[in-house]
Amino acid sequence: GDSVTQTEGPVTLSEGTSLTVNCSYETKQYPTLFWYVQYPGEGPQLLFKVPKANEKGSNRGFEATYNKEATSFHLQKASVQESDSAVYYCAFNSAGNKLTFGIGTRVLVRP
Amino acid sequence: GGIITQTPKFLIGQEGQKLTLKCQQNFNHDTMYWYRQDSGKGLRLIYYSITENDLQKGDLSEGYDASREKKSSFSLTVTSAQKNEMAVFLCASSTGTGGSQDTQYFGPGTRLLVL
């Protein structure tokens, strides 16, 4: 069945260092891939989405490339800030209105 | 732009109690959703609705009822609260017309604790 596997958190790092959160997906469909971010006390909000294979999405210094061959969509940021502390969710919407989410990766950035 | 409002923010109930959570959106979106968020389990879909008076079951619908009274509102009822249950319930909406590219917009959540 459909599923998403992502880096188990928490991921703790220092300000100015690089971040990678791995995401792999499994589906028989050709999905649109999403990264959502959730800050404390808020609901998830879209970071970016990529509908096509081999294309890259980006926002606020975060980026991910849709790799259909490897079924991966890893999130990266070259230099994190304390304000990037949040939970990051990888998800896909293969057909219709349903999103399949990963379990979320908590990222803690120390000043 | 728009906003999704969920009430109440916090809900404390007793075992066996029926509890209702409410959601309103002013995006004028057709489709609305209810998710349950548990630590370590991500977001799981309970119910969704593609238009007024429509209901579709998600993966976690057992133990819940839902009602789409009008386009802007979607309610979720926990039919019998389970002791020691603790979760966040998230409401979301989307245009429903974009197919697999549809973006879902989330509310801030209702935090449930059952004593």
Side-chain angles (χ1 to χ4, degrees):
Chain A
D2 292 348
S3 67
V4 174
T5 304
Q6 58 181 106
T7 301
E8 193 170 324
V11 173
T12 304
L13 55 166
S14 298
E15 225 172 16
T17 59
S18 64
L19 169 71
T20 298
V21 179
N22 290 330
C23 171
S24 298
Y25 65 91
E26 187 175 327
T27 180
K28 288 183 167 52
Q29 310 290 330
Y30 184 171
T32 294
L33 303 179
F34 298 76
W35 274 104
Y36 277 83
V37 58
Q38 185 176 25
Y39 300 103
E42 299 180 11
Q45 56 185 267
L46 180 70
L47 192 53
F48 55 82
K49 62 184 177 184
V50 180
K52 275 187 178 177
N54 302 318
E55 291 190 351
K56 182 191 286 188
S58 63
N59 188 16
R60 305 186 214 169
F62 291 90
E63 61 181 33
T65 300
Y66 189 160
N67 188 328
K68 192 167 187 293
E69 289 69 35
T71 62
S72 68
F73 192 52
H74 305 318
L75 181 68
Q76 295 179 309
K77 187 172 186 181
S79 177
V80 295
Q81 301 173 320
E82 195 177 353
S83 56
D84 294 325
S85 297
V87 179
Y88 293 83
Y89 288 95
C90 183
F92 69 82
N93 186 339
S94 54
N97 299 302
K98 294 174 67 173
L99 274 176
T100 299
F101 284 87
I103 62 171
T105 301
R106 184 174 299 277
V107 173
L108 299 168
V109 181
R110 295 180 301 216
Chain B
I3 191 167
I4 295 180
T5 305
Q6 292 189 237
T7 54
K9 274 191 173 179
F10 298 95
L11 184 55
I12 299 176
Q14 302 291 326
E15 186 181 16
Q17 195 176 0
K18 182 185 282 190
L19 302 167
T20 298
L21 293 68
K22 293 191 180 294
C23 176
Q24 298 263 355
Q25 54 96 2
N26 64 1
F27 286 99
N28 199 32
H29 284 163
D30 288 311
T31 306
M32 295 185 73
Y33 311 79
W34 277 107
Y35 289 90
R36 179 180 166 123
Q37 183 177 39
D38 294 275
S39 180
K41 293 185 180 174
L43 280 69
R44 292 178 290 173
L45 184 65
I46 305 172
Y47 270 100
Y48 69 101
S49 165
I50 61 174
T51 189
E52 187 177 332
N53 295 320
D54 173 72
L55 283 178
Q56 309 282 338
K57 289 185 179 181
D59 300 323
L60 206 66
S61 61
E62 192 171 327
Y64 302 94
D65 286 331
S67 174
R68 183 83 181 273
E69 306 90 3
K70 50 186 179 181
K71 186 175 182 178
S72 61
S73 67
F74 194 27
S75 300
L76 180 73
T77 298
V78 180
T79 55
S80 180
Q82 301 298 303
K83 190 172 175 60
N84 297 324
E85 185 174 3
M86 189 166 68
V88 176
F89 291 86
L90 293 164
C91 177
S93 71
S94 70
T95 60
T97 58
S100 67
Q101 296 190 35
D102 243 11
T103 296
Q104 293 184 20
Y105 296 86
F106 286 83
T110 291
R111 282 144 185 82
L112 171 68
L113 176 63
V114 181
L115 302 176

